PDB file of all heavy atoms in Angstrom:
ATOM      1  N   PRO A   2       6.135 -23.155  22.197  1.00  0.00           N
ATOM      2  CA  PRO A   2       5.564 -21.758  22.398  1.00  0.00           C
ATOM      3  C   PRO A   2       4.045 -21.875  22.625  1.00  0.00           C
ATOM      4  O   PRO A   2       3.452 -22.655  21.828  1.00  0.00           O
ATOM      5  CB  PRO A   2       6.039 -21.039  21.194  1.00  0.00           C
ATOM      6  CG  PRO A   2       6.202 -22.100  20.089  1.00  0.00           C
ATOM      7  CD  PRO A   2       6.601 -23.305  20.870  1.00  0.00           C
ATOM      8  N   ARG A   3       3.555 -21.015  23.546  1.00  0.00           N
ATOM      9  CA  ARG A   3       2.120 -20.891  23.619  1.00  0.00           C
ATOM     10  C   ARG A   3       1.767 -19.669  22.716  1.00  0.00           C
ATOM     11  O   ARG A   3       2.364 -18.674  22.867  1.00  0.00           O
ATOM     12  CB  ARG A   3       1.751 -20.518  25.105  1.00  0.00           C
ATOM     13  CG  ARG A   3       0.442 -20.969  25.575  1.00  0.00           C
ATOM     14  CD  ARG A   3       0.290 -20.830  27.132  1.00  0.00           C
ATOM     15  NE  ARG A   3       0.641 -19.489  27.546  1.00  0.00           N
ATOM     16  CZ  ARG A   3       1.708 -19.195  28.205  1.00  0.00           C
ATOM     17  NH1 ARG A   3       2.653 -20.123  28.553  1.00  0.00           N
ATOM     18  NH2 ARG A   3       2.008 -17.989  28.522  1.00  0.00           N
ATOM     19  N   ILE A   4       0.909 -19.870  21.854  1.00  0.00           N
ATOM     20  CA  ILE A   4       0.377 -18.710  20.875  1.00  0.00           C
ATOM     21  C   ILE A   4      -0.668 -18.005  21.509  1.00  0.00           C
ATOM     22  O   ILE A   4      -1.711 -18.541  21.651  1.00  0.00           O
ATOM     23  CB  ILE A   4       0.164 -19.257  19.482  1.00  0.00           C
ATOM     24  CG1 ILE A   4       1.377 -19.926  18.843  1.00  0.00           C
ATOM     25  CG2 ILE A   4      -0.332 -18.074  18.589  1.00  0.00           C
ATOM     26  CD1 ILE A   4       2.730 -18.981  18.686  1.00  0.00           C
ATOM     27  N   GLU A   5      -0.396 -16.652  21.925  1.00  0.00           N
ATOM     28  CA  GLU A   5      -1.360 -15.808  22.589  1.00  0.00           C
ATOM     29  C   GLU A   5      -1.859 -14.728  21.718  1.00  0.00           C
ATOM     30  O   GLU A   5      -2.872 -14.106  22.010  1.00  0.00           O
ATOM     31  CB  GLU A   5      -0.844 -15.335  23.898  1.00  0.00           C
ATOM     32  CG  GLU A   5      -0.514 -16.335  24.834  1.00  0.00           C
ATOM     33  CD  GLU A   5       0.354 -15.836  26.051  1.00  0.00           C
ATOM     34  OE1 GLU A   5       0.718 -14.719  26.080  1.00  0.00           O
ATOM     35  OE2 GLU A   5       0.627 -16.696  26.891  1.00  0.00           O
ATOM     36  N   ALA A   6      -1.129 -14.430  20.644  1.00  0.00           N
ATOM     37  CA  ALA A   6      -1.612 -13.269  19.863  1.00  0.00           C
ATOM     38  C   ALA A   6      -1.151 -13.397  18.433  1.00  0.00           C
ATOM     39  O   ALA A   6      -0.211 -13.978  18.028  1.00  0.00           O
ATOM     40  CB  ALA A   6      -1.005 -11.854  20.446  1.00  0.00           C
ATOM     41  N   PHE A   7      -2.058 -12.813  17.537  1.00  0.00           N
ATOM     42  CA  PHE A   7      -1.712 -12.501  16.167  1.00  0.00           C
ATOM     43  C   PHE A   7      -1.572 -11.107  15.895  1.00  0.00           C
ATOM     44  O   PHE A   7      -2.416 -10.325  16.305  1.00  0.00           O
ATOM     45  CB  PHE A   7      -2.801 -13.102  15.220  1.00  0.00           C
ATOM     46  CG  PHE A   7      -2.970 -14.578  15.242  1.00  0.00           C
ATOM     47  CD1 PHE A   7      -4.154 -15.235  14.685  1.00  0.00           C
ATOM     48  CD2 PHE A   7      -2.040 -15.477  15.609  1.00  0.00           C
ATOM     49  CE1 PHE A   7      -4.324 -16.505  14.588  1.00  0.00           C
ATOM     50  CE2 PHE A   7      -2.154 -16.776  15.517  1.00  0.00           C
ATOM     51  CZ  PHE A   7      -3.348 -17.454  15.039  1.00  0.00           C
ATOM     52  N   PHE A  98     -11.326 -15.071   9.376  1.00  0.00           N
ATOM     53  CA  PHE A  98     -10.130 -15.534  10.064  1.00  0.00           C
ATOM     54  C   PHE A  98      -9.940 -14.696  11.523  1.00  0.00           C
ATOM     55  O   PHE A  98      -9.650 -15.317  12.467  1.00  0.00           O
ATOM     56  CB  PHE A  98      -8.947 -15.149   9.221  1.00  0.00           C
ATOM     57  CG  PHE A  98      -7.586 -15.819   9.665  1.00  0.00           C
ATOM     58  CD1 PHE A  98      -7.154 -17.079   9.442  1.00  0.00           C
ATOM     59  CD2 PHE A  98      -6.781 -15.061  10.557  1.00  0.00           C
ATOM     60  CE1 PHE A  98      -6.012 -17.558   9.885  1.00  0.00           C
ATOM     61  CE2 PHE A  98      -5.566 -15.606  11.059  1.00  0.00           C
ATOM     62  CZ  PHE A  98      -5.232 -16.836  10.712  1.00  0.00           C
ATOM     63  N   ALA A 101     -12.549 -16.109  13.870  1.00  0.00           N
ATOM     64  CA  ALA A 101     -12.157 -17.476  14.360  1.00  0.00           C
ATOM     65  C   ALA A 101     -11.034 -17.324  15.355  1.00  0.00           C
ATOM     66  O   ALA A 101     -10.825 -18.084  16.425  1.00  0.00           O
ATOM     67  CB  ALA A 101     -11.780 -18.409  13.113  1.00  0.00           C
ATOM     68  N   ALA A 102     -10.072 -16.462  15.078  1.00  0.00           N
ATOM     69  CA  ALA A 102      -8.956 -16.312  16.083  1.00  0.00           C
ATOM     70  C   ALA A 102      -9.422 -15.724  17.416  1.00  0.00           C
ATOM     71  O   ALA A 102      -8.983 -16.264  18.462  1.00  0.00           O
ATOM     72  CB  ALA A 102      -7.949 -15.270  15.469  1.00  0.00           C
ATOM     73  N   ARG A 103     -10.334 -14.810  17.309  1.00  0.00           N
ATOM     74  CA  ARG A 103     -10.903 -14.325  18.642  1.00  0.00           C
ATOM     75  C   ARG A 103     -11.637 -15.332  19.462  1.00  0.00           C
ATOM     76  O   ARG A 103     -11.404 -15.498  20.558  1.00  0.00           O
ATOM     77  CB  ARG A 103     -11.954 -13.134  18.353  1.00  0.00           C
ATOM     78  CG  ARG A 103     -12.230 -12.368  19.596  1.00  0.00           C
ATOM     79  CD  ARG A 103     -13.157 -11.129  19.178  1.00  0.00           C
ATOM     80  NE  ARG A 103     -12.250 -10.023  18.731  1.00  0.00           N
ATOM     81  CZ  ARG A 103     -11.495  -9.304  19.477  1.00  0.00           C
ATOM     82  NH1 ARG A 103     -11.586  -9.458  20.785  1.00  0.00           N
ATOM     83  NH2 ARG A 103     -10.853  -8.241  19.059  1.00  0.00           N
ATOM     84  N   LEU A 104     -12.486 -16.241  18.712  1.00  0.00           N
ATOM     85  CA  LEU A 104     -13.089 -17.386  19.332  1.00  0.00           C
ATOM     86  C   LEU A 104     -12.159 -18.312  19.975  1.00  0.00           C
ATOM     87  O   LEU A 104     -12.395 -18.845  21.011  1.00  0.00           O
ATOM     88  CB  LEU A 104     -14.041 -18.099  18.255  1.00  0.00           C
ATOM     89  CG  LEU A 104     -15.370 -17.465  18.100  1.00  0.00           C
ATOM     90  CD1 LEU A 104     -16.056 -18.232  16.911  1.00  0.00           C
ATOM     91  CD2 LEU A 104     -16.176 -17.648  19.257  1.00  0.00           C
ATOM     92  N   ALA A 105     -10.955 -18.427  19.407  1.00  0.00           N
ATOM     93  CA  ALA A 105      -9.975 -19.430  19.905  1.00  0.00           C
ATOM     94  C   ALA A 105      -9.124 -18.744  21.065  1.00  0.00           C
ATOM     95  O   ALA A 105      -8.409 -19.261  21.634  1.00  0.00           O
ATOM     96  CB  ALA A 105      -9.027 -19.684  18.784  1.00  0.00           C
ATOM     97  N   GLY A 106      -9.576 -17.496  21.466  1.00  0.00           N
ATOM     98  CA  GLY A 106      -8.967 -16.758  22.604  1.00  0.00           C
ATOM     99  C   GLY A 106      -7.615 -16.169  22.218  1.00  0.00           C
ATOM    100  O   GLY A 106      -6.804 -15.773  23.152  1.00  0.00           O
ATOM    101  N   VAL A 107      -7.386 -15.850  20.958  1.00  0.00           N
ATOM    102  CA  VAL A 107      -6.061 -15.292  20.504  1.00  0.00           C
ATOM    103  C   VAL A 107      -6.342 -13.744  20.445  1.00  0.00           C
ATOM    104  O   VAL A 107      -7.375 -13.250  20.015  1.00  0.00           O
ATOM    105  CB  VAL A 107      -5.704 -15.752  19.123  1.00  0.00           C
ATOM    106  CG1 VAL A 107      -4.478 -14.998  18.617  1.00  0.00           C
ATOM    107  CG2 VAL A 107      -5.478 -17.266  19.164  1.00  0.00           C
ATOM    108  N   VAL A 165       2.411 -14.347  16.723  1.00  0.00           N
ATOM    109  CA  VAL A 165       2.629 -14.545  15.261  1.00  0.00           C
ATOM    110  C   VAL A 165       2.380 -13.288  14.557  1.00  0.00           C
ATOM    111  O   VAL A 165       1.293 -12.634  14.687  1.00  0.00           O
ATOM    112  CB  VAL A 165       1.775 -15.638  14.768  1.00  0.00           C
ATOM    113  CG1 VAL A 165       2.077 -16.034  13.255  1.00  0.00           C
ATOM    114  CG2 VAL A 165       1.950 -17.027  15.597  1.00  0.00           C
ATOM    115  N   PHE A 167       1.908 -11.529  10.805  1.00  0.00           N
ATOM    116  CA  PHE A 167       1.508 -11.877   9.500  1.00  0.00           C
ATOM    117  C   PHE A 167       1.980 -10.686   8.524  1.00  0.00           C
ATOM    118  O   PHE A 167       1.385  -9.641   8.763  1.00  0.00           O
ATOM    119  CB  PHE A 167      -0.003 -12.073   9.277  1.00  0.00           C
ATOM    120  CG  PHE A 167      -0.545 -13.148  10.176  1.00  0.00           C
ATOM    121  CD1 PHE A 167      -0.669 -13.164  11.464  1.00  0.00           C
ATOM    122  CD2 PHE A 167      -0.929 -14.420   9.518  1.00  0.00           C
ATOM    123  CE1 PHE A 167      -1.191 -14.156  12.159  1.00  0.00           C
ATOM    124  CE2 PHE A 167      -1.355 -15.484  10.177  1.00  0.00           C
ATOM    125  CZ  PHE A 167      -1.588 -15.263  11.531  1.00  0.00           C
ATOM    126  N   LEU A 198       6.829 -19.624   8.098  1.00  0.00           N
ATOM    127  CA  LEU A 198       5.760 -20.307   7.261  1.00  0.00           C
ATOM    128  C   LEU A 198       5.383 -19.269   6.131  1.00  0.00           C
ATOM    129  O   LEU A 198       5.278 -18.208   6.464  1.00  0.00           O
ATOM    130  CB  LEU A 198       4.491 -20.620   8.163  1.00  0.00           C
ATOM    131  CG  LEU A 198       3.505 -21.482   7.661  1.00  0.00           C
ATOM    132  CD1 LEU A 198       4.073 -23.010   7.721  1.00  0.00           C
ATOM    133  CD2 LEU A 198       2.254 -21.358   8.495  1.00  0.00           C
ATOM    134  N   ASP A 208      -6.042 -21.945   8.302  1.00  0.00           N
ATOM    135  CA  ASP A 208      -6.943 -22.248   9.321  1.00  0.00           C
ATOM    136  C   ASP A 208      -6.407 -21.878  10.755  1.00  0.00           C
ATOM    137  O   ASP A 208      -5.423 -22.312  11.054  1.00  0.00           O
ATOM    138  CB  ASP A 208      -7.280 -23.851   9.189  1.00  0.00           C
ATOM    139  CG  ASP A 208      -8.256 -24.214  10.316  1.00  0.00           C
ATOM    140  OD1 ASP A 208      -9.466 -24.058  10.171  1.00  0.00           O
ATOM    141  OD2 ASP A 208      -7.848 -24.757  11.326  1.00  0.00           O
ATOM    142  N   VAL A 209      -7.149 -21.185  11.464  1.00  0.00           N
ATOM    143  CA  VAL A 209      -6.718 -20.647  12.725  1.00  0.00           C
ATOM    144  C   VAL A 209      -6.159 -21.726  13.702  1.00  0.00           C
ATOM    145  O   VAL A 209      -5.098 -21.673  14.204  1.00  0.00           O
ATOM    146  CB  VAL A 209      -7.705 -19.767  13.431  1.00  0.00           C
ATOM    147  CG1 VAL A 209      -7.394 -19.474  14.833  1.00  0.00           C
ATOM    148  CG2 VAL A 209      -7.977 -18.516  12.720  1.00  0.00           C
ATOM    149  N   ILE A 210      -7.033 -22.767  13.960  1.00  0.00           N
ATOM    150  CA  ILE A 210      -6.705 -23.790  14.926  1.00  0.00           C
ATOM    151  C   ILE A 210      -5.421 -24.567  14.422  1.00  0.00           C
ATOM    152  O   ILE A 210      -4.471 -24.782  15.181  1.00  0.00           O
ATOM    153  CB  ILE A 210      -7.878 -24.734  15.037  1.00  0.00           C
ATOM    154  CG1 ILE A 210      -9.069 -24.022  15.650  1.00  0.00           C
ATOM    155  CG2 ILE A 210      -7.428 -25.992  15.959  1.00  0.00           C
ATOM    156  CD1 ILE A 210      -8.913 -23.384  17.037  1.00  0.00           C
ATOM    157  N   ARG A 211      -5.435 -24.935  13.088  1.00  0.00           N
ATOM    158  CA  ARG A 211      -4.209 -25.703  12.534  1.00  0.00           C
ATOM    159  C   ARG A 211      -2.896 -24.803  12.677  1.00  0.00           C
ATOM    160  O   ARG A 211      -1.894 -25.345  12.937  1.00  0.00           O
ATOM    161  CB  ARG A 211      -4.430 -26.116  11.133  1.00  0.00           C
ATOM    162  CG  ARG A 211      -4.848 -27.514  11.142  1.00  0.00           C
ATOM    163  CD  ARG A 211      -4.991 -28.123   9.733  1.00  0.00           C
ATOM    164  NE  ARG A 211      -6.286 -27.914   9.140  1.00  0.00           N
ATOM    165  CZ  ARG A 211      -6.576 -27.772   7.854  1.00  0.00           C
ATOM    166  NH1 ARG A 211      -5.484 -27.886   6.976  1.00  0.00           N
ATOM    167  NH2 ARG A 211      -7.716 -27.559   7.439  1.00  0.00           N
ATOM    168  N   LEU A 212      -3.020 -23.537  12.507  1.00  0.00           N
ATOM    169  CA  LEU A 212      -1.959 -22.530  12.550  1.00  0.00           C
ATOM    170  C   LEU A 212      -1.351 -22.465  13.974  1.00  0.00           C
ATOM    171  O   LEU A 212      -0.165 -22.642  14.136  1.00  0.00           O
ATOM    172  CB  LEU A 212      -2.373 -21.252  11.989  1.00  0.00           C
ATOM    173  CG  LEU A 212      -1.237 -20.301  11.743  1.00  0.00           C
ATOM    174  CD1 LEU A 212      -0.526 -20.656  10.565  1.00  0.00           C
ATOM    175  CD2 LEU A 212      -1.803 -18.870  11.608  1.00  0.00           C
ATOM    176  N   ILE A 213      -2.277 -22.415  14.932  1.00  0.00           N
ATOM    177  CA  ILE A 213      -1.850 -22.379  16.262  1.00  0.00           C
ATOM    178  C   ILE A 213      -1.070 -23.702  16.621  1.00  0.00           C
ATOM    179  O   ILE A 213      -0.020 -23.758  17.212  1.00  0.00           O
ATOM    180  CB  ILE A 213      -3.104 -22.202  17.219  1.00  0.00           C
ATOM    181  CG1 ILE A 213      -3.604 -20.778  16.999  1.00  0.00           C
ATOM    182  CG2 ILE A 213      -2.600 -22.370  18.729  1.00  0.00           C
ATOM    183  CD1 ILE A 213      -4.882 -20.551  17.754  1.00  0.00           C
ATOM    184  N   GLN A 214      -1.716 -24.765  16.191  1.00  0.00           N
ATOM    185  CA  GLN A 214      -1.056 -26.208  16.541  1.00  0.00           C
ATOM    186  C   GLN A 214       0.245 -26.240  15.830  1.00  0.00           C
ATOM    187  O   GLN A 214       1.223 -26.741  16.416  1.00  0.00           O
ATOM    188  CB  GLN A 214      -2.067 -27.239  15.962  1.00  0.00           C
ATOM    189  CG  GLN A 214      -3.258 -27.400  16.950  1.00  0.00           C
ATOM    190  CD  GLN A 214      -4.226 -28.410  16.300  1.00  0.00           C
ATOM    191  OE1 GLN A 214      -4.287 -28.726  15.098  1.00  0.00           O
ATOM    192  NE2 GLN A 214      -5.231 -28.900  17.103  1.00  0.00           N
ATOM    193  N   HIS A 215       0.376 -25.703  14.527  1.00  0.00           N
ATOM    194  CA  HIS A 215       1.698 -25.719  13.922  1.00  0.00           C
ATOM    195  C   HIS A 215       2.738 -25.150  14.747  1.00  0.00           C
ATOM    196  O   HIS A 215       3.777 -25.567  14.931  1.00  0.00           O
ATOM    197  CB  HIS A 215       1.500 -25.022  12.546  1.00  0.00           C
ATOM    198  CG  HIS A 215       2.816 -24.874  11.774  1.00  0.00           C
ATOM    199  ND1 HIS A 215       3.438 -25.884  11.019  1.00  0.00           N
ATOM    200  CD2 HIS A 215       3.661 -23.791  11.807  1.00  0.00           C
ATOM    201  CE1 HIS A 215       4.522 -25.456  10.578  1.00  0.00           C
ATOM    202  NE2 HIS A 215       4.700 -24.183  10.985  1.00  0.00           N
ATOM    203  N   PHE A 216       2.502 -23.850  15.219  1.00  0.00           N
ATOM    204  CA  PHE A 216       3.485 -23.235  16.019  1.00  0.00           C
ATOM    205  C   PHE A 216       3.705 -23.812  17.325  1.00  0.00           C
ATOM    206  O   PHE A 216       4.873 -23.705  17.795  1.00  0.00           O
ATOM    207  CB  PHE A 216       3.194 -21.580  16.011  1.00  0.00           C
ATOM    208  CG  PHE A 216       3.512 -20.872  14.806  1.00  0.00           C
ATOM    209  CD1 PHE A 216       2.533 -20.380  13.934  1.00  0.00           C
ATOM    210  CD2 PHE A 216       4.784 -20.724  14.345  1.00  0.00           C
ATOM    211  CE1 PHE A 216       2.819 -19.850  12.677  1.00  0.00           C
ATOM    212  CE2 PHE A 216       5.198 -20.139  13.133  1.00  0.00           C
ATOM    213  CZ  PHE A 216       4.033 -19.632  12.306  1.00  0.00           C
ATOM    214  N   GLN A 217       2.643 -24.258  18.031  1.00  0.00           N
ATOM    215  CA  GLN A 217       2.822 -24.765  19.284  1.00  0.00           C
ATOM    216  C   GLN A 217       3.597 -26.053  19.285  1.00  0.00           C
ATOM    217  O   GLN A 217       4.085 -26.592  20.278  1.00  0.00           O
ATOM    218  CB  GLN A 217       1.476 -24.919  19.945  1.00  0.00           C
ATOM    219  CG  GLN A 217       0.854 -23.497  20.242  1.00  0.00           C
ATOM    220  CD  GLN A 217      -0.353 -23.411  21.158  1.00  0.00           C
ATOM    221  OE1 GLN A 217      -0.479 -22.340  21.835  1.00  0.00           O
ATOM    222  NE2 GLN A 217      -1.019 -24.442  21.384  1.00  0.00           N
ATOM    223  N   ALA A 218       3.584 -26.704  18.055  1.00  0.00           N
ATOM    224  CA  ALA A 218       4.346 -27.982  18.024  1.00  0.00           C
ATOM    225  C   ALA A 218       5.963 -27.798  17.668  1.00  0.00           C
ATOM    226  O   ALA A 218       6.576 -28.772  17.656  1.00  0.00           O
ATOM    227  CB  ALA A 218       3.817 -28.839  16.942  1.00  0.00           C
ATOM    228  N   LEU A 219       6.191 -26.478  17.485  1.00  0.00           N
ATOM    229  CA  LEU A 219       7.665 -26.249  17.155  1.00  0.00           C
ATOM    230  C   LEU A 219       8.596 -26.361  18.319  1.00  0.00           C
ATOM    231  O   LEU A 219       8.184 -26.180  19.445  1.00  0.00           O
ATOM    232  CB  LEU A 219       7.908 -24.900  16.468  1.00  0.00           C
ATOM    233  CG  LEU A 219       7.151 -24.707  15.070  1.00  0.00           C
ATOM    234  CD1 LEU A 219       7.223 -23.197  14.669  1.00  0.00           C
ATOM    235  CD2 LEU A 219       7.790 -25.692  14.046  1.00  0.00           C
TER     236      LEU A 219
END
Side-chain angles (χ1 to χ4, degrees):
R3 206 172 54 251
I4 298 303
E5 298 172 355
F7 288 167
F98 189 89
R103 191 173 282 283
L104 274 174
V107 174
V165 181
F167 299 75
L198 190 76
D208 175 79
V209 167
I210 301 296
R211 262 190 269 152
L212 193 71
I213 294 170
Q214 285 169 348
H215 171 83
F216 282 108
Q217 295 194 157
L219 291 177

